[in-house]
Amino acid sequence: MTDIQEQIEQLKSFAAADADNALIWISLGDLYYRAGQLGEAQLAFERAAKAEPGNSVAQGRLARSKIAGHDFAGAEALLRELIVAGENDPAFRYNLGIALLHQHRYEEALGEINDVAGSVDAADLDLYRAQAHHQLGDNEASVRLARSWAKSNPGPGAEGYLSLLEFDAGLTDHARPRAQAVLKSEPQNPDASVVIGTWRMEQQD
């Protein structure tokens, strides 16, 4: 049994003995989340919220797990409830922005994320902003933010996405060599493949 599973089993025994302890359920939910067991994580956070109504940590964690499980509308409802209640943790606004982004409400998403950009330490902050700007047709901003994200998160995933945004922005001289370099290390990269495939079709035309 892995260390995390051992911790889960231990906390499950604690929860069985003290079922109204919100902190135990939150800690258990965190372990399930780390283990990728999203359904169990959500149940644990729900138990925490039931044990201690109004617990903002439990509700925030539940919203985060719903985002991971692609229940974006459910996450939005939980986060808006927290914000209306006066909870001012920037992470709630940031996660609300992510939930809105995945519901294709890009302007709203940018508003939430930009408002707390200086108050959250999130590796994918510029990625989400780049995605929103891209969907809104602001290629200049999307490329600028994607370059910032790729610089902070180097790797074929970031480089491939950046090449796609550069290509959409008409920066073919940057996009094509970047995509080619990505495909050398990751031949199945979808974004780089789109760039090279589209470029080749354009050359045939």
Side-chain angles (χ1 to χ4, degrees):
M1 184 181 295
T2 64
D3 287 344
I4 194 167
Q5 285 301 135
E6 290 174 353
Q7 294 175 57
I8 285 173
E9 293 303 320
Q10 184 178 49
L11 279 178
K12 283 172 65 178
S13 68
F14 293 163
D18 190 4
D20 293 327
N21 190 317
L23 180 58
I24 291 175
W25 286 110
I26 291 171
S27 298
L28 181 57
D30 286 340
L31 287 174
Y32 278 130
Y33 188 88
R34 284 171 51 199
Q37 300 177 44
L38 297 180
E40 295 296 334
Q42 288 191 30
L43 289 174
F45 294 136
E46 287 170 354
R47 288 295 298 270
K50 181 179 179 180
E52 189 177 322
N55 186 309
S56 62
V57 174
Q59 193 162 330
R61 294 284 212 284
L62 178 57
R64 184 187 65 177
S65 68
K66 284 183 177 292
I67 289 173
H70 295 181
D71 179 6
F72 304 117
E76 179 192 355
L78 288 168
L79 292 163
R80 288 199 184 280
E81 184 177 312
L82 284 168
I83 293 166
V84 168
E87 296 294 338
N88 58 7
D89 186 339
F92 297 153
R93 297 278 304 281
Y94 178 69
N95 286 333
L96 175 57
I98 295 172
L100 292 169
L101 179 72
H102 285 289
Q103 294 179 77
H104 313 297
R105 292 154 63 184
Y106 303 112
E107 290 187 4
E108 291 178 76
L110 270 177
E112 296 295 338
I113 294 173
N114 286 338
D115 280 352
V116 297
S119 304
V120 293
D121 182 17
D124 289 337
L125 173 70
D126 284 340
L127 168 63
Y128 291 126
R129 293 199 291 183
Q131 290 175 338
H133 279 293
H134 185 220
Q135 293 296 329
L136 291 168
D138 188 347
N139 289 326
E140 181 179 351
S142 68
V143 168
R144 172 174 50 81
L145 290 162
R147 284 175 176 168
S148 173
W149 175 64
K151 185 177 180 179
S152 302
N153 300 270
E159 289 292 312
Y161 183 60
L162 175 54
S163 73
L164 179 65
L165 296 190
E166 288 176 334
F167 193 76
D168 283 352
L171 302 173
T172 307
D173 290 344
H174 292 276
R176 183 170 58 84
R178 192 185 305 277
Q180 289 172 328
V182 168
L183 291 175
K184 286 181 180 179
S185 61
E186 191 177 272
Q188 303 304 316
N189 184 281
D191 294 325
S193 296
V194 167
V195 170
I196 297 303
T198 304
W199 177 78
R200 285 174 176 167
M201 285 190 292
E202 290 177 350
Q203 297 308 300
Q204 291 175 355
D205 289 342

